[in-house]
Each structure stands twice: as C-alpha cells, then as structure tokens.
Amino acid sequence: MSVTTQVRTGGGGREAIARRLIKGSVKRSYAPVVDLDWEREPEPDRYFLPPSVLSLVGTDLWEQMDEAQRIELSRQEMANILSVGIWFENLLNRTLLARLMSADPASATTHYALTEMGDECRHMVMFGRAIEWAGARPFQMRRRERLAMAMLPQALRGSLLWVAALVGEEIFDALQREMLDDPQLQPLVARLMQVHVAEEARHIGFARDGIMRRKPVRRRWETFLAANGHAVAGVLFRNLFTNPAMYRRAGLDGRAAARAARTNPHFHDAQIRGFASLAAFLTEAGLMSRLSRYGWRRGGFL
C-alpha cells in the first residue's frame, strides 16, 4: 500500500492496529515443531475430526460403517482439510509477498504482513507434520487448480484480497473453535486447533479491519469485484470438503460417498455454522451480493 493510499484510508489507524498485532504476536505465538507432542502416537479409539462435523454422519453409508471405519474416515477427512489449508495459506503468503514489492518496508503494516506470513509458514509445517503423524497422505491439487492458484496472487488486490483471506481462514476457524474441546478428538489434533485458532484470530482481525477501512473510500468497481468475486467459493469449498479421493482412501465408493455428503443435511448444518459469522460480516461490509448469496447457498453454506 502506498503512502498516499495509507493517508486516504486512515493509514495512521491501520498502522496502530498493525503495531498492536505485532505485540500480540510477540506475546502469544507458537513453534508447532516443539509445542506439539509429535512423539505421542495416535490413540486407536479417538477421532481425527469429531463425528459431528464429518461429511457422512447421519447418512445410510455412515450407519453401515463400524467404529474403525468411521475413525478411518475421520483420518482421511482431516488429511484432506489440512491439505486444503496448506493450499490456501500458500496462496495468501504469495499474495501478500507480491504486494510487499511496492509497499513501504518501514511501515508497521508491512512488518505485520511479514509476521503473518511467518505464522502461516509454521502452520503449513504443522499441517504437513499432522498428516504424516496421523499415518495419512496429503491430497494434491489437480492441474487446473494449480494454474488458478498460480494466477490469483496477481489478481487479488484491495478489498478482494481481504475477502479472499477471510474466506480461506474464517470457515476453518469457526469449525475449529467448535471442535477443539470435543472429548472424542485426538489430543494432538485438539492442540493443533488451539494453536491455529489463537494465531488466526490476529489474521482475521487484520483482514476485517482492512475491509472496513476501505469501505468509505472504495470505488464502485472495487465493491463490485469484492462482492461478487467470492460467488464461486461456496461450490468450490463444497467440492473440496467432499473430495471423492478421501472416501476412496477410506475404503468407500468415492463418487457415491461424495454424492451422499453433498446432500447430507447434517453436513450442511456444519457448513452453515462455519460460514455464519463471515456471512454476517460480509453483509455488514456491503460485500455480499445476490450472486454471492446464490453461490454460497448452492454450496450448502447458507
């Protein structure tokens, strides 16, 4: 962000918030490589994600599975979600880094962006280690998805950047807050969620502040792009969260299981809970268009 833009959008206030978040990062940050007990083996009778958020809970397929199969499904769903988290945190880092090429290197906002990227790098390591620890394998993007991810850092600017950051962070954050105290959850996974929630709270606050500070000054075209650009996210996330490959790894018919999950009202309820806070914020910020509502509703998040 240029100095002129900082002044026009209340850069002083933004700088103060960035300095406060940097202080918060100093007081409460984690090193997952040492802060999580990677030597502790997974407990055979505990889930890697709570049953309440698994995509097949409540379906006929779920009723036909025994406890060991359900736990295996939770292992594969966790590996899938953490893989998606790695992709989006990678995208956010590359987008922020591209912006810093023209930013003031002495500003607090630049310093906090670098601090946030450091957090995200540690999160990617933590997610990768957790997949390995669970005895699972990461999921890979398809070629067209990799191409889109390569192009997006140049397209995400202004309010659209912060909307994309929130879409990639808040849904996961809301569900993690719901899950981390579940007694059926693997202790290491619960600790991972505690670390992630604590650090993502700062990132979400920074992104939300960025959106609200631009609200009085953003031009019509920026509002149009930011309000409509996330319309595809609902269907995208639905497809990512019901990846047929994870069902196949759990010993199920991948396509049949994905179809069951996508029409599962229990899974839709979990999606809606995860998106509720972000949906309310985007509406308040004037960035939830009719098209976006349609997209999120079609994906099962509204």
Side-chain angles (χ1 to χ4, degrees), residues 26 87-88 105 138 185 197 208 220 228 235:
V26 171
W87 305 344
F88 278 92
L185 190 61
V197 162
R208 284 191 172 207
R220 189 172 298 176
N228 291 283
V235 174

Side-chain angles (χ1 to χ4, degrees), residues 4-26:
T4 302
T5 304
Q6 285 182 12
V7 171
R8 188 173 66 244
T9 60
R14 185 72 165 155
E15 288 284 288
I17 285 179
R19 285 192 289 270
R20 178 174 61 80
L21 290 173
I22 290 170
K23 290 180 181 178
S25 299
V26 171

Side-chain angles (χ1 to χ4, degrees), residues 257-276:
R259 284 195 301 270
R262 292 169 188 175
T263 57
N264 181 6
H266 296 282
F267 183 53
H268 287 175
D269 287 345
Q271 290 177 294
I272 290 168
R273 293 195 305 273
F275 186 56

Side-chain angles (χ1 to χ4, degrees), residues 11 35-36 57 78 104 133 146 180 186 237 256 266-267 276 285 300:
D35 287 338
L36 275 71
V57 66
M78 183 202 73
D104 177 0
W133 167 86
R146 291 197 301 269
L180 58 85
Q186 294 280 351
F237 272 94
H266 296 282
F267 183 53

Side-chain angles (χ1 to χ4, degrees), residues 11-183:
R14 185 72 165 155
E15 288 284 288
I17 285 179
R19 285 192 289 270
R20 178 174 61 80
L21 290 173
I22 290 170
K23 290 180 181 178
S25 299
V26 171
K27 293 179 180 177
R28 194 180 185 192
S29 287
Y30 300 89
V33 172
V34 296
D35 287 338
L36 275 71
D37 184 6
W38 300 107
E39 299 302 318
R40 182 174 182 173
E41 295 289 333
E43 298 184 18
D45 59 343
R46 294 212 192 189
Y47 283 77
F48 294 85
L49 291 178
S52 61
V53 300
L54 294 178
S55 60
L56 292 179
V57 66
T59 65
D60 291 341
L61 277 173
W62 179 263
E63 296 304 323
Q64 295 165 14
M65 299 166 69
D66 61 29
E67 188 71 358
Q69 290 172 318
R70 292 173 177 179
I71 290 175
E72 180 58 27
L73 175 65
S74 77
R75 186 200 317 269
Q76 300 303 333
E77 290 209 25
M78 183 202 73
N80 181 64
I81 286 177
L82 294 184
S83 296
V84 172
I86 290 170
W87 305 344
F88 278 92
E89 297 201 334
N90 186 322
L91 172 64
L92 176 59
N93 270 11
R94 288 187 295 119
T95 304
L96 290 174
L97 200 58
R99 283 166 48 89
L100 293 185
M101 291 294 289
S102 58
D104 177 0
S107 73
T109 52
T110 295
H111 298 164
Y112 183 69
L114 290 165
T115 302
E116 179 170 340
M117 283 190 282
D119 291 343
E120 302 294 23
C121 285
R122 290 190 297 275
H123 294 169
M124 286 187 277
V125 171
M126 178 170 67
F127 292 171
R129 286 286 299 271
I131 293 170
E132 178 189 31
W133 167 86
R137 290 179 289 126
F139 291 83
Q140 301 294 335
M141 286 184 286
R142 289 169 288 190
R143 181 176 298 178
R144 65 175 180 271
E145 293 166 342
R146 291 197 301 269
L147 179 61
M149 285 289 196
M151 296 170 60
L152 276 172
Q154 301 306 317
L156 297 176
R157 291 290 184 272
S159 297
L160 185 57
L161 165 61
W162 300 121
V163 170
L166 290 175
V167 166
E169 292 177 339
E170 279 220 41
I171 297 172
F172 294 99
D173 182 77
L175 289 174
Q176 285 174 344
R177 288 175 185 274
E178 176 183 325
M179 292 187 286
L180 58 85
D181 292 325
D182 193 298

Side-chain angles (χ1 to χ4, degrees), residues 166-218:
L166 290 175
V167 166
E169 292 177 339
E170 279 220 41
I171 297 172
F172 294 99
D173 182 77
L175 289 174
Q176 285 174 344
R177 288 175 185 274
E178 176 183 325
M179 292 187 286
L180 58 85
D181 292 325
D182 193 298
Q184 298 181 85
L185 190 61
Q186 294 280 351
L188 184 136
V189 178
R191 179 58 175 159
L192 176 151
M193 291 179 180
Q194 289 172 346
V195 169
H196 196 240
V197 162
E199 296 188 332
E200 287 296 321
R202 295 191 293 266
H203 306 171
I204 290 169
F206 193 59
R208 284 191 172 207
D209 179 74
I211 287 174
M212 297 310 290
R213 285 182 186 277
R214 290 198 64 79
K215 183 178 179 181
V217 299
R218 67 187 182 222

